[in-house]
Coordinates of all heavy atoms in Angstrom, one line a residue:
V381 N -32.9 -2.0 69.8 CA -33.0 -0.5 69.8 C -31.7 0.0 70.4 O -31.3 -0.4 71.5 CB -34.2 0.0 70.5 CG1 -34.2 1.5 70.6 CG2 -35.5 -0.4 69.7
D382 N -31.1 1.0 69.8 CA -29.9 1.6 70.3 C -30.4 2.7 71.3 O -30.8 3.8 71.0 CB -29.1 2.3 69.2 CG -27.9 3.0 69.6 OD1 -27.7 3.2 70.9 OD2 -27.1 3.3 68.8
L383 N -30.3 2.3 72.6 CA -30.8 3.2 73.7 C -30.1 4.6 73.8 O -30.7 5.6 74.0 CB -30.8 2.5 75.0 CG -31.8 1.4 75.2 CD1 -31.6 0.8 76.6 CD2 -33.2 1.8 75.0
K384 N -28.8 4.5 73.5 CA -28.0 5.8 73.5 C -28.5 6.7 72.4 O -28.7 7.9 72.6 CB -26.5 5.5 73.3 CG -25.9 4.9 74.6 CD -24.4 4.7 74.3 CE -23.8 4.0 75.6 NZ -22.4 3.8 75.5
K385 N -28.8 6.2 71.3 CA -29.3 7.0 70.1 C -30.7 7.5 70.5 O -31.0 8.7 70.2 CB -29.4 6.1 68.9 CG -29.8 6.9 67.6 CD -28.8 7.9 67.3 CE -29.2 8.6 66.0 NZ -28.4 9.7 65.6
V386 N -31.6 6.7 71.0 CA -32.9 7.1 71.4 C -32.8 8.2 72.5 O -33.5 9.3 72.4 CB -33.8 6.0 72.0 CG1 -35.1 6.5 72.6 CG2 -34.1 5.0 70.8
N387 N -32.0 8.1 73.5 CA -31.8 9.1 74.5 C -31.3 10.4 73.9 O -31.8 11.5 74.2 CB -30.8 8.6 75.5 CG -31.3 7.6 76.5 OD1 -32.5 7.4 76.6 ND2 -30.4 6.9 77.2
Q388 N -30.4 10.3 73.0 CA -29.9 11.5 72.3 C -31.0 12.2 71.5 O -31.1 13.4 71.6 CB -28.7 11.1 71.3 CG -28.2 12.3 70.5 CD -27.2 11.8 69.5 OE1 -26.8 10.7 69.4 NE2 -26.9 12.7 68.6
I389 N -31.8 11.5 70.8 CA -32.8 12.0 70.0 C -33.9 12.7 70.9 O -34.3 13.8 70.6 CB -33.5 11.0 69.1 CG1 -32.5 10.5 68.0 CG2 -34.8 11.4 68.5 CD1 -32.9 9.3 67.2
L390 N -34.3 12.0 71.9 CA -35.3 12.6 72.8 C -34.8 13.9 73.5 O -35.6 14.8 73.7 CB -35.8 11.6 73.8 CG -36.5 10.4 73.2 CD1 -37.0 9.4 74.2 CD2 -37.7 10.8 72.3
Q391 N -33.5 13.9 73.9 CA -33.0 15.1 74.5 C -33.0 16.2 73.5 O -33.3 17.4 73.8 CB -31.5 14.8 75.0 CG -31.0 16.0 75.8 CD -31.8 16.3 77.0 OE1 -31.9 15.5 77.9 NE2 -32.3 17.6 77.1
E392 N -32.6 15.9 72.2 CA -32.6 16.9 71.2 C -34.0 17.5 70.9 O -34.2 18.7 70.7 CB -32.0 16.3 69.9 CG -30.5 16.1 70.0 CD -30.0 15.3 68.8 OE1 -30.8 14.9 67.9 OE2 -28.8 15.1 68.8
V393 N -35.0 16.6 71.0 CA -36.4 17.1 70.8 C -36.8 18.0 71.9 O -37.4 19.1 71.7 CB -37.4 15.9 70.7 CG1 -38.8 16.3 70.8 CG2 -37.2 15.1 69.4
A394 N -36.5 17.6 73.1 CA -36.8 18.5 74.3 C -36.1 19.8 74.2 O -36.7 20.9 74.4 CB -36.4 17.8 75.6
D395 N -34.8 19.8 73.8 CA -34.1 21.1 73.6 C -34.6 21.9 72.5 O -34.7 23.1 72.6 CB -32.6 20.8 73.3 CG -31.9 20.1 74.5 OD1 -32.4 20.2 75.6 OD2 -30.8 19.5 74.3
S396 N -35.0 21.3 71.4 CA -35.5 22.1 70.3 C -36.8 22.7 70.5 O -37.1 23.8 70.0 CB -35.6 21.2 69.0 OG -36.6 20.3 69.1
L397 N -37.6 22.1 71.4 CA -38.9 22.8 71.7 C -38.7 24.1 72.4 O -39.3 25.1 72.2 CB -39.8 21.8 72.6 CG -41.2 22.3 72.9 CD1 -42.1 22.2 71.7 CD2 -41.8 21.6 74.1
E398 N -37.7 24.1 73.4 CA -37.4 25.3 74.1 C -36.9 26.4 73.2 O -37.1 27.6 73.4 CB -36.4 25.0 75.2 CG -36.1 26.2 76.0 CD -35.0 26.0 77.0 OE1 -34.1 25.2 76.7 OE2 -35.0 26.7 78.1
K399 N -36.1 26.0 72.2 CA -35.5 27.0 71.3 C -36.5 27.5 70.2 O -36.2 28.5 69.6 CB -34.3 26.4 70.6 CG -33.2 26.1 71.5 CD -32.1 25.3 70.9 CE -31.0 24.9 71.9 NZ -30.0 24.0 71.3
N400 N -37.6 26.9 70.0 CA -38.6 27.3 69.0 C -39.4 28.4 69.5 O -40.1 28.3 70.5 CB -39.5 26.1 68.7 CG -40.5 26.3 67.6 OD1 -41.0 27.4 67.4 ND2 -40.8 25.3 66.8
P401 N -39.3 29.6 68.8 CA -40.0 30.8 69.3 C -41.5 30.6 69.5 O -42.2 31.2 70.3 CB -39.8 31.8 68.2 CG -38.6 31.3 67.5 CD -38.6 29.8 67.6
K402 N -42.1 29.7 68.6 CA -43.6 29.4 68.7 C -43.9 28.8 70.1 O -45.0 29.1 70.6 CB -44.0 28.5 67.6 CG -45.4 28.1 67.7 CD -45.8 27.2 66.5 CE -47.2 26.7 66.6 NZ -47.6 25.8 65.5
W403 N -43.0 28.0 70.6 CA -43.3 27.2 71.9 C -42.7 27.8 73.1 O -43.1 27.6 74.2 CB -43.0 25.8 71.7 CG -43.8 25.1 70.6 CD1 -43.3 24.8 69.4 CD2 -45.2 24.8 70.6 NE1 -44.4 24.3 68.6 CE2 -45.5 24.3 69.4 CE3 -46.2 25.0 71.6 CZ2 -46.8 23.9 69.0 CZ3 -47.5 24.6 71.3 CH2 -47.7 24.1 70.0
K404 N -41.6 28.5 72.9 CA -40.8 29.1 74.1 C -41.7 29.9 75.0 O -41.7 29.8 76.2 CB -39.7 29.9 73.6 CG -38.8 30.4 74.7 CD -37.5 31.0 74.2 CE -36.6 31.4 75.3 NZ -36.0 30.3 76.1
S405 N -42.6 30.7 74.4 CA -43.5 31.5 75.3 C -44.5 30.7 76.0 O -45.1 31.2 77.0 CB -44.2 32.6 74.4 OG -45.0 32.0 73.5
E406 N -44.8 29.5 75.6 CA -45.8 28.7 76.3 C -45.2 27.8 77.4 O -45.9 27.1 78.1 CB -46.4 27.7 75.2 CG -47.1 28.4 74.1 CD -48.2 29.3 74.4 OE1 -48.6 29.4 75.6 OE2 -48.7 30.0 73.5
L407 N -43.8 27.8 77.5 CA -43.1 27.0 78.5 C -42.8 27.8 79.7 O -42.4 29.0 79.7 CB -41.8 26.5 77.9 CG -42.0 25.5 76.7 CD1 -40.6 25.3 76.1 CD2 -42.6 24.2 77.1
R408 N -43.0 27.2 80.9 CA -42.6 27.9 82.2 C -41.2 27.4 82.6 O -40.6 28.1 83.4 CB -43.6 27.5 83.3 CG -44.9 28.1 83.1 CD -45.8 27.9 84.3 NE -47.0 28.6 84.2 CZ -48.0 28.6 85.2 NH1 -47.8 27.8 86.2 NH2 -49.0 29.3 85.0
S409 N -40.8 26.3 82.1 CA -39.4 25.8 82.4 C -38.9 25.0 81.2 O -39.7 24.6 80.3 CB -39.4 25.0 83.6 OG -40.1 23.8 83.5
R410 N -37.7 24.8 81.2 CA -37.0 24.0 80.1 C -37.6 22.6 80.1 O -37.7 21.9 81.2 CB -35.5 24.0 80.3 CG -34.7 23.3 79.3 CD -33.2 23.5 79.6 NE -32.4 23.0 78.6 CZ -31.9 21.8 78.6 NH1 -32.1 21.0 79.6 NH2 -31.2 21.3 77.6
P411 N -38.0 22.0 78.9 CA -38.4 20.6 78.9 C -37.2 19.7 79.3 O -36.1 20.0 79.1 CB -38.7 20.4 77.4 CG -39.0 21.7 76.9 CD -38.1 22.7 77.6
E412 N -37.6 18.7 80.1 CA -36.6 17.8 80.6 C -36.8 16.4 80.2 O -37.9 15.9 80.4 CB -36.6 17.9 82.2 CG -35.5 17.2 82.9 CD -35.6 17.4 84.4 OE1 -36.4 18.1 84.9 OE2 -34.8 16.7 85.0
F413 N -35.8 15.8 79.6 CA -35.9 14.4 79.3 C -35.4 13.6 80.5 O -34.3 13.7 81.0 CB -35.0 14.1 78.1 CG -34.8 12.6 77.8 CD1 -36.0 11.8 77.5 CD2 -33.6 12.0 77.8 CE1 -35.8 10.5 77.2 CE2 -33.5 10.7 77.5 CZ -34.6 9.9 77.2
L414 N -36.3 12.7 81.0 CA -36.1 12.0 82.2 C -35.5 10.6 82.0 O -35.0 9.9 82.9 CB -37.3 11.8 83.1 CG -38.0 13.1 83.5 CD1 -39.2 12.9 84.3 CD2 -37.0 14.0 84.3
G415 N -35.5 10.1 80.7 CA -35.0 8.8 80.4 C -36.1 7.7 80.5 O -37.3 8.0 80.3
I416 N -35.6 6.5 80.7 CA -36.6 5.4 80.7 C -37.3 5.4 82.1 O -36.6 5.4 83.1 CB -35.8 4.0 80.5 CG1 -35.2 3.9 79.2 CG2 -36.8 2.8 80.7 CD1 -34.3 2.7 79.0
T417 N -38.6 5.4 82.1 CA -39.3 5.4 83.3 C -40.0 4.1 83.6 O -40.6 3.9 84.6 CB -40.3 6.6 83.4 OG1 -41.2 6.5 82.2 CG2 -39.6 7.9 83.3
K418 N -40.1 3.2 82.5 CA -40.7 1.9 82.7 C -40.1 1.0 81.7 O -39.9 1.3 80.5 CB -42.2 2.0 82.4 CG -43.0 0.7 82.8 CD -44.5 1.0 82.8 CE -45.2 -0.2 83.3 NZ -46.6 0.0 83.4
F419 N -39.8 -0.2 82.2 CA -39.1 -1.2 81.3 C -39.9 -2.5 81.4 O -40.0 -3.1 82.5 CB -37.7 -1.4 81.8 CG -36.9 -2.2 80.8 CD1 -36.3 -1.6 79.7 CD2 -36.6 -3.6 81.0 CE1 -35.5 -2.3 78.8 CE2 -35.9 -4.3 80.1 CZ -35.3 -3.7 79.0
E420 N -40.5 -3.0 80.3 CA -41.3 -4.2 80.3 C -40.7 -5.1 79.2 O -39.9 -4.7 78.4 CB -42.7 -3.9 80.0 CG -43.5 -3.1 81.1 CD -43.7 -3.8 82.4 OE1 -43.8 -5.1 82.3 OE2 -43.7 -3.2 83.4
P421 N -41.0 -6.4 79.2 CA -40.5 -7.3 78.2 C -40.7 -6.8 76.8 O -39.9 -7.0 75.9 CB -41.2 -8.6 78.5 CG -41.6 -8.6 79.9 CD -41.9 -7.1 80.2
N422 N -41.9 -6.2 76.5 CA -42.2 -5.9 75.1 C -42.2 -4.4 74.8 O -42.4 -3.9 73.7 CB -43.6 -6.4 74.8 CG -43.7 -7.9 74.9 OD1 -42.8 -8.6 74.5 ND2 -44.8 -8.4 75.4
Y423 N -41.9 -3.5 75.8 CA -41.8 -2.1 75.6 C -41.1 -1.4 76.7 O -40.9 -1.9 77.8 CB -43.2 -1.5 75.4 CG -44.1 -1.5 76.6 CD1 -44.1 -0.3 77.5 CD2 -44.9 -2.5 77.0 CE1 -44.8 -0.3 78.6 CE2 -45.6 -2.5 78.2 CZ -45.6 -1.4 79.0 OH -46.3 -1.3 80.1
M424 N -40.7 -0.1 76.3 CA -40.1 0.8 77.3 C -40.9 2.1 77.2 O -41.3 2.5 76.2 CB -38.6 1.0 77.0 CG -37.7 -0.1 77.2 SD -36.1 0.2 76.6 CE -36.3 -0.2 74.9
T425 N -40.9 2.8 78.4 CA -41.6 4.1 78.4 C -40.5 5.1 78.7 O -39.7 5.0 79.6 CB -42.6 4.2 79.5 OG1 -43.6 3.2 79.2 CG2 -43.3 5.5 79.5
F426 N -40.4 6.1 77.8 CA -39.5 7.2 78.0 C -40.3 8.4 78.4 O -41.4 8.6 77.9 CB -38.7 7.5 76.7 CG -37.8 6.4 76.3 CD1 -38.3 5.4 75.5 CD2 -36.4 6.4 76.6 CE1 -37.4 4.3 75.1 CE2 -35.6 5.4 76.2 CZ -36.1 4.4 75.5
Q427 N -39.7 9.3 79.2 CA -40.5 10.5 79.6 C -39.8 11.8 79.4 O -38.6 11.9 79.7 CB -40.9 10.3 81.1 CG -41.9 11.4 81.6 CD -42.4 11.0 83.0 OE1 -41.8 10.2 83.7 NE2 -43.4 11.7 83.4
I428 N -40.6 12.7 78.8 CA -40.1 14.1 78.7 C -41.2 14.9 79.5 O -42.4 14.7 79.3 CB -40.1 14.6 77.3 CG1 -39.1 13.8 76.5 CG2 -39.7 16.1 77.2 CD1 -39.1 14.1 75.0
V429 N -40.7 15.8 80.4 CA -41.7 16.6 81.1 C -41.4 18.1 80.8 O -40.3 18.5 80.5 CB -41.6 16.4 82.6 CG1 -42.1 15.0 83.0 CG2 -40.3 16.7 83.2
A430 N -42.5 18.8 80.7 CA -42.4 20.3 80.4 C -43.5 21.0 81.2 O -44.7 20.6 81.1 CB -42.6 20.5 78.9
K431 N -43.1 22.0 81.9 CA -44.1 22.9 82.6 C -44.5 23.9 81.6 O -43.7 24.6 81.0 CB -43.5 23.5 83.9 CG -43.2 22.4 84.9 CD -42.7 23.1 86.2 CE -42.4 22.0 87.2 NZ -41.8 22.6 88.4
T432 N -45.8 24.1 81.5 CA -46.4 25.0 80.5 C -47.3 26.0 81.1 O -47.8 25.8 82.2 CB -47.1 24.2 79.4 OG1 -48.3 23.7 80.0 CG2 -46.3 23.1 78.8
E433 N -47.7 27.0 80.3 CA -48.8 27.9 80.7 C -50.0 27.0 80.6 O -50.1 26.0 79.8 CB -48.9 29.0 79.7 CG -47.7 30.0 79.7 CD -47.5 30.6 81.0 OE1 -48.5 30.9 81.7 OE2 -46.4 31.0 81.3
P434 N -51.0 27.2 81.5 CA -52.1 26.3 81.6 C -52.9 26.1 80.3 O -53.3 25.0 80.0 CB -53.0 27.0 82.7 CG -52.1 27.7 83.5 CD -51.0 28.2 82.6
H435 N -53.1 27.2 79.5 CA -53.8 27.1 78.3 C -53.1 26.3 77.2 O -53.7 25.9 76.2 CB -54.2 28.5 77.8 CG -53.0 29.2 77.3 ND1 -52.2 30.0 78.1 CD2 -52.4 29.3 76.1 CE1 -51.2 30.5 77.4 NE2 -51.3 30.1 76.2
A436 N -51.8 26.1 77.4 CA -50.9 25.5 76.3 C -50.6 24.0 76.6 O -49.9 23.4 75.8 CB -49.7 26.3 76.2
R437 N -51.1 23.5 77.7 CA -50.7 22.1 78.1 C -50.8 21.1 77.0 O -49.9 20.3 76.7 CB -51.5 21.7 79.3 CG -51.3 20.3 79.8 CD -52.2 20.0 81.0 NE -52.0 18.6 81.4 CZ -52.8 18.0 82.2 NH1 -53.8 18.6 82.7 NH2 -52.5 16.7 82.5
W438 N -52.0 21.0 76.4 CA -52.3 20.0 75.5 C -51.6 20.2 74.1 O -51.1 19.3 73.5 CB -53.8 19.8 75.3 CG -54.5 19.4 76.6 CD1 -55.3 20.1 77.3 CD2 -54.2 18.1 77.3 NE1 -55.7 19.4 78.4 CE2 -55.0 18.2 78.5 CE3 -53.4 17.0 77.1 CZ2 -55.0 17.2 79.4 CZ3 -53.5 16.0 78.0 CH2 -54.3 16.1 79.2
A439 N -51.5 21.5 73.7 CA -50.8 21.8 72.5 C -49.3 21.5 72.6 O -48.8 20.9 71.6 CB -51.0 23.3 72.1
V440 N -48.7 21.8 73.7 CA -47.3 21.5 73.9 C -47.1 19.9 73.9 O -46.2 19.4 73.3 CB -46.7 22.1 75.1 CG1 -45.4 21.6 75.5 CG2 -46.7 23.6 75.0
S441 N -48.0 19.2 74.6 CA -47.9 17.8 74.7 C -48.0 17.2 73.3 O -47.2 16.3 72.9 CB -49.0 17.3 75.6 OG -49.0 15.9 75.7
R442 N -49.0 17.6 72.5 CA -49.1 17.1 71.1 C -47.9 17.4 70.3 O -47.4 16.6 69.5 CB -50.3 17.7 70.4 CG -51.6 17.1 70.9 CD -52.8 17.6 70.0 NE -53.0 19.1 70.0 CZ -53.7 19.7 70.9 NH1 -54.4 19.0 71.9 NH2 -53.8 21.0 70.9
E443 N -47.3 18.6 70.4 CA -46.1 19.0 69.6 C -44.9 18.1 70.0 O -44.2 17.7 69.2 CB -45.8 20.5 69.9 CG -44.5 20.9 69.2 CD -44.6 20.9 67.7 OE1 -45.8 20.9 67.1 OE2 -43.6 20.9 67.0
L444 N -44.8 17.9 71.3 CA -43.7 17.0 71.8 C -43.9 15.6 71.2 O -42.9 15.0 70.7 CB -43.7 16.9 73.3 CG -42.8 17.9 74.0 CD1 -43.0 17.8 75.5 CD2 -41.4 17.7 73.7
R445 N -45.0 15.0 71.3 CA -45.3 13.6 70.8 C -45.0 13.6 69.3 O -44.4 12.7 68.8 CB -46.7 13.2 71.1 CG -46.8 12.8 72.5 CD -48.1 12.0 72.8 NE -49.3 12.8 72.4 CZ -49.9 13.6 73.3 NH1 -49.5 13.7 74.5 NH2 -51.0 14.3 72.9
Q446 N -45.5 14.6 68.5 CA -45.3 14.6 67.1 C -43.8 14.7 66.8 O -43.3 14.1 65.9 CB -46.1 15.7 66.4 CG -45.9 15.8 64.9 CD -46.7 16.9 64.3 OE1 -47.6 17.5 64.9 NE2 -46.4 17.2 63.1
S447 N -43.1 15.6 67.5 CA -41.7 15.8 67.2 C -40.9 14.6 67.5 O -39.9 14.2 66.8 CB -41.2 17.0 68.1 OG -41.8 18.2 67.7
V448 N -41.2 13.9 68.6 CA -40.6 12.6 68.9 C -40.8 11.6 67.8 O -39.8 11.0 67.3 CB -41.1 12.1 70.3 CG1 -40.7 10.6 70.5 CG2 -40.6 12.9 71.4
K449 N -42.0 11.4 67.4 CA -42.3 10.5 66.3 C -41.5 10.8 65.0 O -40.9 9.9 64.4 CB -43.8 10.4 66.0 CG -44.2 9.6 64.9 CD -44.0 8.1 65.1 CE -44.7 7.3 64.0 NZ -43.8 6.4 63.4
L450 N -41.5 12.0 64.6 CA -40.8 12.4 63.4 C -39.3 12.2 63.5 O -38.7 11.8 62.6 CB -41.1 13.9 63.1 CG -42.6 14.2 62.6 CD1 -42.8 15.7 62.5 CD2 -42.9 13.4 61.3
A451 N -38.8 12.6 64.7 CA -37.3 12.4 64.9 C -36.9 10.9 64.9 O -35.9 10.6 64.3 CB -36.9 13.1 66.2
L452 N -37.7 10.1 65.5 CA -37.4 8.7 65.6 C -37.5 8.1 64.2 O -36.7 7.2 63.7 CB -38.3 7.9 66.6 CG -38.0 8.3 68.0 CD1 -39.0 7.6 68.9 CD2 -36.6 7.9 68.4
D453 N -38.6 8.5 63.4 CA -38.7 8.0 62.1 C -37.5 8.4 61.2 O -37.0 7.6 60.4 CB -40.0 8.6 61.4 CG -41.3 7.9 61.9 OD1 -41.2 6.9 62.7 OD2 -42.4 8.4 61.6
E454 N -37.1 9.6 61.3 CA -36.0 10.1 60.6 C -34.7 9.3 60.9 O -33.9 9.1 60.0 CB -35.8 11.6 60.9 CG -34.7 12.2 60.0 CD -34.6 13.7 60.3 OE1 -35.6 14.4 60.2 OE2 -33.5 14.2 60.5
A455 N -34.6 8.9 62.1 CA -33.4 8.1 62.5 C -33.5 6.6 62.2 O -32.6 5.8 62.4 CB -33.2 8.3 64.0
G456 N -34.7 6.2 61.6 CA -35.0 4.8 61.3 C -35.2 3.9 62.5 O -35.0 2.7 62.5
I457 N -35.7 4.5 63.6 CA -36.0 3.8 64.8 C -37.5 3.6 64.9 O -38.3 4.5 64.9 CB -35.6 4.6 66.0 CG1 -34.0 4.7 66.0 CG2 -36.0 3.9 67.3 CD1 -33.5 5.6 67.0
E458 N -37.9 2.3 64.9 CA -39.3 1.9 65.0 C -39.8 2.0 66.4 O -39.2 1.5 67.3 CB -39.5 0.5 64.4 CG -39.3 0.3 63.0 CD -39.6 -1.1 62.5 OE1 -40.6 -1.7 62.9 OE2 -38.7 -1.6 61.8
L459 N -41.0 2.5 66.6 CA -41.6 2.6 67.9 C -42.2 1.2 68.3 O -42.0 0.8 69.4 CB -42.8 3.6 67.9 CG -42.3 5.1 67.9 CD1 -43.5 6.0 67.9 CD2 -41.4 5.4 69.0
L460 N -42.9 0.6 67.4 CA -43.4 -0.8 67.7 C -43.1 -1.7 66.5 O -43.0 -1.3 65.4 CB -45.0 -0.6 67.8 CG -45.5 0.3 68.9 CD1 -47.0 0.4 68.7 CD2 -45.1 -0.3 70.2
K461 N -43.0 -3.0 66.9 CA -42.7 -4.0 65.8 C -43.9 -4.9 65.8 O -44.6 -5.2 66.7 CB -41.4 -4.7 66.1 CG -40.2 -3.9 66.0 CD -39.0 -4.7 66.1 CE -37.8 -3.8 65.9 NZ -36.6 -4.5 65.7

């Protein structure tokens, strides 16, 4: 996996959420891509954090996960093998 490409994609996803009018009002701060937070032999964990309005926590979380999956698919990057 090209980690630089993954980092770039995840940062773009975080940035695009903040720019999206549908989600901007639900955010208390800019989403932040923290990078790799766990590295194991068979997987890596990347983390994006976003402070949200309390009622929007789960919706924003779902949107971020879906956007990450779609962006990685579009780039031809497999999550699991």
